Every structure is written in structure tokens, then in C-alpha cells.
Amino acid sequence: MQLELFEREQISQGDLERMMMEIRQAYWHLRNLRKVSWNNGRRRREYRKVAVHKKRLLIAGVSKREILDLLACCRQQCSAKKQPFQPCKYCR
């Protein structure tokens, strides 16, 4: 049995979709910043933004597997981009 010292934050469906959209946008910026070496500050800022959203999702009770699946989709490593080309639930 796990002891919880504080109440879990409740996230509405709209907030959840907004956070997932912001994570996808951050990874879009990261994919485009990969090609340049002079903008490391922007890259670190995007990673920090993703870390804040991941932590908030974990505290709210979203399963770690679901968060990892979202990040794989954002990194374009989900099955919609590779064989067997089956879209995941995060692809639009």
C-alpha cells in the first residue's frame, strides 16, 4: 500500500489535451533545432518545458506508459511512422 501525503491534482480533459498539444509543439521545435548548433539555449528551454508538463501529468495520476507513448509519438517513433504503419491514439 502506498501512502499519499498530498492530494493528486485533478486535470480536466481540456487541460490534458492542451498539455499534450504543448508537448507536441515543443518536440516539433526540438526536431527543427537539431540542425543548428548556435541555439542551444532554445533547445534547453524546450526540454525544460516538456519536463514540467511530464511532471504535472505524473502527479495528476496519468500512467507512465501513457506518457511514454505520447513522447514516442512526438519523437516520431510511434507505429504510424514505422512498420506496420498503424496510427496511435496521439497521431492526428
Side-chain angles (χ1 to χ4, degrees):
M1 183 169 107
Q2 183 178 357
L3 176 65
E4 293 191 25
L5 299 176
F6 54 92
E7 193 174 320
R8 290 187 174 201
E9 179 183 0
Q10 298 296 320
I11 296 180
S12 67
Q13 187 64 28
D15 286 341
L16 183 66
E17 289 176 7
R18 184 185 52 78
M19 279 196 291
M20 289 183 178
M21 181 188 65
E22 288 178 8
I23 290 173
R24 278 195 292 271
Q25 288 175 350
Y27 271 100
W28 180 86
H29 285 291
L30 287 169
R31 279 194 305 273
N32 289 322
L33 289 172
R34 218 177 274 160
K35 298 173 183 117
V36 296
S37 62
W38 50 267
N39 207 354
N40 290 331
R42 174 74 188 264
R43 188 177 304 135
R44 285 191 301 270
R45 184 171 51 232
E46 295 297 332
Y47 276 120
R48 283 193 303 265
K49 198 183 313 182
V50 169
V52 167
H53 288 307
K54 280 176 28 181
K55 186 175 181 180
R56 186 170 175 212
L57 288 172
L58 281 172
I59 289 174
V62 177
S63 70
K64 194 168 188 174
R65 180 77 253 163
E66 189 174 343
I67 294 171
L68 291 175
D69 289 343
L70 169 67
L71 295 177
C73 181
C74 292
R75 294 177 185 139
Q76 297 200 357
Q77 295 175 350
C78 67
S79 60
K81 313 293 189 278
K82 296 195 248 180
Q83 288 287 358
F85 299 115
Q86 296 173 352
C88 66
K89 69 178 187 177
Y90 305 107
C91 291
R92 291 184 179 206

